[in-house]
PDB file of all heavy atoms in Angstrom:
ATOM      1  N   ARG B 128      81.255 117.184  91.393  1.00 91.00           N
ATOM      2  CA  ARG B 128      82.027 116.349  92.324  1.00 91.00           C
ATOM      3  C   ARG B 128      83.028 115.483  91.563  1.00 91.00           C
ATOM      4  O   ARG B 128      82.677 114.834  90.599  1.00 91.00           O
ATOM      5  CB  ARG B 128      81.064 115.451  93.107  1.00 91.00           C
ATOM      6  CG  ARG B 128      80.396 116.141  94.261  1.00 91.00           C
ATOM      7  CD  ARG B 128      81.269 116.150  95.488  1.00 91.00           C
ATOM      8  NE  ARG B 128      81.395 114.810  96.069  1.00 91.00           N
ATOM      9  CZ  ARG B 128      80.574 114.320  96.975  1.00 91.00           C
ATOM     10  NH1 ARG B 128      79.557 115.023  97.417  1.00 91.00           N
ATOM     11  NH2 ARG B 128      80.756 113.111  97.472  1.00 91.00           N
ATOM     12  N   PRO B 129      84.291 115.479  92.032  1.00 90.00           N
ATOM     13  CA  PRO B 129      85.267 114.563  91.403  1.00 90.00           C
ATOM     14  C   PRO B 129      84.875 113.114  91.703  1.00 90.00           C
ATOM     15  O   PRO B 129      84.320 112.834  92.771  1.00 90.00           O
ATOM     16  CB  PRO B 129      86.584 114.905  92.104  1.00 90.00           C
ATOM     17  CG  PRO B 129      86.358 116.186  92.817  1.00 90.00           C
ATOM     18  CD  PRO B 129      84.893 116.302  93.083  1.00 90.00           C
ATOM     19  N   LEU B 130      85.168 112.230  90.766  1.00 89.00           N
ATOM     20  CA  LEU B 130      84.745 110.837  90.914  1.00 89.00           C
ATOM     21  C   LEU B 130      85.317 110.177  92.155  1.00 89.00           C
ATOM     22  O   LEU B 130      84.685 109.320  92.765  1.00 89.00           O
ATOM     23  CB  LEU B 130      85.171 110.024  89.683  1.00 89.00           C
ATOM     24  CG  LEU B 130      84.472 110.365  88.379  1.00 89.00           C
ATOM     25  CD1 LEU B 130      84.959 109.445  87.284  1.00 89.00           C
ATOM     26  CD2 LEU B 130      82.967 110.248  88.538  1.00 89.00           C
ATOM     27  N   ASP B 131      86.552 110.563  92.523  1.00 87.00           N
ATOM     28  CA  ASP B 131      87.179 109.858  93.644  1.00 87.00           C
ATOM     29  C   ASP B 131      86.603 110.268  94.997  1.00 87.00           C
ATOM     30  O   ASP B 131      87.042 109.761  96.016  1.00 87.00           O
ATOM     31  CB  ASP B 131      88.710 110.001  93.607  1.00 87.00           C
ATOM     32  CG  ASP B 131      89.154 111.453  93.549  1.00 87.00           C
ATOM     33  OD1 ASP B 131      88.286 112.344  93.636  1.00 87.00           O
ATOM     34  OD2 ASP B 131      90.370 111.690  93.417  1.00 87.00           O
ATOM     35  N   THR B 132      85.609 111.183  95.004  1.00 88.00           N
ATOM     36  CA  THR B 132      84.985 111.517  96.284  1.00 88.00           C
ATOM     37  C   THR B 132      83.614 110.873  96.439  1.00 88.00           C
ATOM     38  O   THR B 132      82.938 111.104  97.426  1.00 88.00           O
ATOM     39  CB  THR B 132      84.809 113.050  96.426  1.00 88.00           C
ATOM     40  OG1 THR B 132      83.856 113.486  95.448  1.00 88.00           O
ATOM     41  CG2 THR B 132      86.118 113.783  96.233  1.00 88.00           C
ATOM     42  N   LEU B 133      83.206 110.059  95.450  1.00 88.00           N
ATOM     43  CA  LEU B 133      81.882 109.437  95.527  1.00 88.00           C
ATOM     44  C   LEU B 133      81.942 108.146  96.339  1.00 88.00           C
ATOM     45  O   LEU B 133      82.939 107.444  96.339  1.00 88.00           O
ATOM     46  CB  LEU B 133      81.373 109.095  94.129  1.00 88.00           C
ATOM     47  CG  LEU B 133      81.083 110.240  93.168  1.00 88.00           C
ATOM     48  CD1 LEU B 133      80.569 109.678  91.869  1.00 88.00           C
ATOM     49  CD2 LEU B 133      80.085 111.201  93.762  1.00 88.00           C
ATOM     50  N   SER B 134      80.834 107.831  97.000  1.00 85.00           N
ATOM     51  CA  SER B 134      80.736 106.527  97.658  1.00 85.00           C
ATOM     52  C   SER B 134      80.408 105.475  96.599  1.00 85.00           C
ATOM     53  O   SER B 134      80.052 105.813  95.471  1.00 85.00           O
ATOM     54  CB  SER B 134      79.632 106.561  98.705  1.00 85.00           C
ATOM     55  OG  SER B 134      78.378 106.458  98.067  1.00 85.00           O
ATOM     56  N   GLY B 135      80.517 104.218  96.963  1.00 82.00           N
ATOM     57  CA  GLY B 135      80.242 103.136  96.018  1.00 82.00           C
ATOM     58  C   GLY B 135      78.835 103.226  95.433  1.00 82.00           C
ATOM     59  O   GLY B 135      78.631 103.099  94.225  1.00 82.00           O
ATOM     60  N   GLY B 136      77.866 103.474  96.307  1.00 83.00           N
ATOM     61  CA  GLY B 136      76.479 103.555  95.856  1.00 83.00           C
ATOM     62  C   GLY B 136      76.241 104.765  94.966  1.00 83.00           C
ATOM     63  O   GLY B 136      75.512 104.692  93.980  1.00 83.00           O
ATOM     64  N   GLN B 137      76.880 105.890  95.320  1.00 87.00           N
ATOM     65  CA  GLN B 137      76.730 107.092  94.491  1.00 87.00           C
ATOM     66  C   GLN B 137      77.323 106.875  93.108  1.00 87.00           C
ATOM     67  O   GLN B 137      76.764 107.307  92.107  1.00 87.00           O
ATOM     68  CB  GLN B 137      77.416 108.289  95.166  1.00 87.00           C
ATOM     69  CG  GLN B 137      76.647 108.813  96.355  1.00 87.00           C
ATOM     70  CD  GLN B 137      77.478 109.742  97.218  1.00 87.00           C
ATOM     71  OE1 GLN B 137      78.706 109.778  97.118  1.00 87.00           O
ATOM     72  NE2 GLN B 137      76.812 110.503  98.074  1.00 87.00           N
ATOM     73  N   LEU B 138      78.456 106.175  93.063  1.00 89.00           N
ATOM     74  CA  LEU B 138      79.069 105.888  91.770  1.00 89.00           C
ATOM     75  C   LEU B 138      78.130 105.013  90.933  1.00 89.00           C
ATOM     76  O   LEU B 138      77.945 105.250  89.742  1.00 89.00           O
ATOM     77  CB  LEU B 138      80.417 105.185  91.967  1.00 89.00           C
ATOM     78  CG  LEU B 138      81.148 104.899  90.664  1.00 89.00           C
ATOM     79  CD1 LEU B 138      81.569 106.200  89.989  1.00 89.00           C
ATOM     80  CD2 LEU B 138      82.364 104.030  90.900  1.00 89.00           C
ATOM     81  N   GLN B 139      77.516 104.028  91.592  1.00 87.00           N
ATOM     82  CA  GLN B 139      76.598 103.151  90.879  1.00 87.00           C
ATOM     83  C   GLN B 139      75.428 103.951  90.301  1.00 87.00           C
ATOM     84  O   GLN B 139      75.014 103.732  89.168  1.00 87.00           O
ATOM     85  CB  GLN B 139      76.102 102.067  91.851  1.00 87.00           C
ATOM     86  CG  GLN B 139      75.376 100.917  91.202  1.00 87.00           C
ATOM     87  CD  GLN B 139      76.301 100.071  90.341  1.00 87.00           C
ATOM     88  OE1 GLN B 139      77.472 100.371  90.174  1.00 87.00           O
ATOM     89  NE2 GLN B 139      75.750  99.029  89.758  1.00 87.00           N
ATOM     90  N   ARG B 140      74.927 104.912  91.088  1.00 88.00           N
ATOM     91  CA  ARG B 140      73.822 105.740  90.593  1.00 88.00           C
ATOM     92  C   ARG B 140      74.292 106.634  89.445  1.00 88.00           C
ATOM     93  O   ARG B 140      73.558 106.870  88.487  1.00 88.00           O
ATOM     94  CB  ARG B 140      73.245 106.585  91.726  1.00 88.00           C
ATOM     95  CG  ARG B 140      72.271 105.790  92.568  1.00 88.00           C
ATOM     96  CD  ARG B 140      72.331 106.178  94.017  1.00 88.00           C
ATOM     97  NE  ARG B 140      71.710 107.469  94.296  1.00 88.00           N
ATOM     98  CZ  ARG B 140      71.905 108.143  95.424  1.00 88.00           C
ATOM     99  NH1 ARG B 140      72.693 107.651  96.347  1.00 88.00           N
ATOM    100  NH2 ARG B 140      71.306 109.293  95.609  1.00 88.00           N
ATOM    101  N   THR B 141      75.539 107.105  89.537  1.00 91.00           N
ATOM    102  CA  THR B 141      76.096 107.901  88.440  1.00 91.00           C
ATOM    103  C   THR B 141      76.115 107.081  87.158  1.00 91.00           C
ATOM    104  O   THR B 141      75.758 107.555  86.074  1.00 91.00           O
ATOM    105  CB  THR B 141      77.538 108.343  88.776  1.00 91.00           C
ATOM    106  OG1 THR B 141      77.526 108.973  90.048  1.00 91.00           O
ATOM    107  CG2 THR B 141      78.067 109.306  87.740  1.00 91.00           C
ATOM    108  N   LEU B 142      76.514 105.802  87.295  1.00 91.00           N
ATOM    109  CA  LEU B 142      76.574 104.941  86.121  1.00 91.00           C
ATOM    110  C   LEU B 142      75.165 104.676  85.571  1.00 91.00           C
ATOM    111  O   LEU B 142      74.966 104.581  84.359  1.00 91.00           O
ATOM    112  CB  LEU B 142      77.287 103.631  86.459  1.00 91.00           C
ATOM    113  CG  LEU B 142      78.783 103.817  86.759  1.00 91.00           C
ATOM    114  CD1 LEU B 142      79.401 102.535  87.289  1.00 91.00           C
ATOM    115  CD2 LEU B 142      79.528 104.278  85.521  1.00 91.00           C
TER     116      LEU B 142
END
Side-chain angles (χ1 to χ4, degrees):
Chain B
R128 279 277 290 271
L130 292 182
D131 54 5
T132 66
L133 295 181
S134 78
Q137 286 165 344
L138 182 66
Q139 192 68 357
R140 278 145 74 196
T141 308
L142 292 172

